[in-house]
Amino acid sequence: MRIAIIDDSGLRATILEEGLRDAGFDEIEVVPPQGAFVARLERMAPDVVLMNLGNASRDSLEEMLAVSRALARPIAMFVDQSDDSMIGAAIDAGISAYVVDGLRKERIKPVLELAIRRFNAFSKLQAELDAARTELADRKTVDRAKAILMKSRGLDEPGAYALLRTTAMKQGRRIVEMAEALITAADLLGDGR
């Protein structure tokens, strides 16, 4: 597992690195949050990112949240102190684990495991949500195509669906693809709604 540590303090980065090495991880790279470090992280493609902000300012928190948005990876953030708005911003940015005043090397592995599990759970939920949204959009498309067929051909709803399905099967296409083609044609002819 490739792990990136983002930290501008050599001492804190050493604590994280020792905790990871003690836990059996050896592919570790420390990346100071300077210059084009987000692009460097993207090229590095770590499996997990550990951020140690110490006493985080709003500016440093915003920089680190940009990392979270740029990388679709589990990210654990360590801070010395926090408030509700910082916690909220971290959650909104997709930080998987947010640890306040907990930088001890024996805690690194459990925090890392938590970040990975939370990231995977969130990713699964996001995939399910995306699938549900796609299914709903497809259903709306098919319903609109059925309405066009019902109006133009005088069909009832089951008949319009059967015509869509049969035509899709004959052409080796999905029903939603057929519905999209019908809607496009109807729009071009001025018959769509």
Side-chain angles (χ1 to χ4, degrees), residues 144-153 182-183 186 191-192:
R144 184 170 171 210
K146 287 190 302 188
I148 291 168
L149 287 173
M150 290 164 62
K151 180 181 174 192
S152 67
R153 294 272 185 108
L182 176 64
I183 291 167
D191 296 335

Side-chain angles (χ1 to χ4, degrees), residues 134 137-139 141-142 168 173-181:
T134 299
D138 289 354
R139 187 174 306 218
T141 300
V142 170
R173 298 169 74 183
R174 295 178 38 234
I175 292 174
V176 72
E177 292 170 356
M178 211 61 246
E180 289 167 346

Side-chain angles (χ1 to χ4, degrees), residues 4 6 31-33 36-39 41-42 46 48-51 53 60-75 77 93-95:
I6 301 174
V31 180
F37 77 97
V38 176
L41 279 170
E42 288 176 321
V48 180
V49 177
L50 300 180
M51 297 181 189
L53 299 185
S60 63
L61 181 63
E62 281 301 315
E63 265 184 355
M64 295 308 133
L65 298 182
V67 171
S68 176
R69 291 182 196 105
L71 300 173
R73 303 281 190 278
I75 297 176
M77 183 179 286
I95 300 295

Side-chain angles (χ1 to χ4, degrees), residues 95-144:
I95 300 295
S96 304
Y98 187 85
V99 181
V100 180
D101 193 25
L103 184 60
R104 292 191 309 275
K105 71 178 190 174
E106 62 273 1
R107 292 189 68 195
I108 305 302
K109 184 178 180 187
V111 169
L112 181 75
E113 290 171 349
L114 170 70
I116 293 168
R117 287 181 187 213
R118 287 201 45 158
F119 176 82
N120 290 339
F122 180 78
S123 295
K124 181 180 175 191
L125 287 173
Q126 189 64 47
E128 289 171 359
L129 177 61
D130 292 345
R133 285 181 176 156
T134 299
E135 187 177 323
L136 180 60
D138 289 354
R139 187 174 306 218
K140 286 181 180 181
T141 300
V142 170
D143 286 347
R144 184 170 171 210

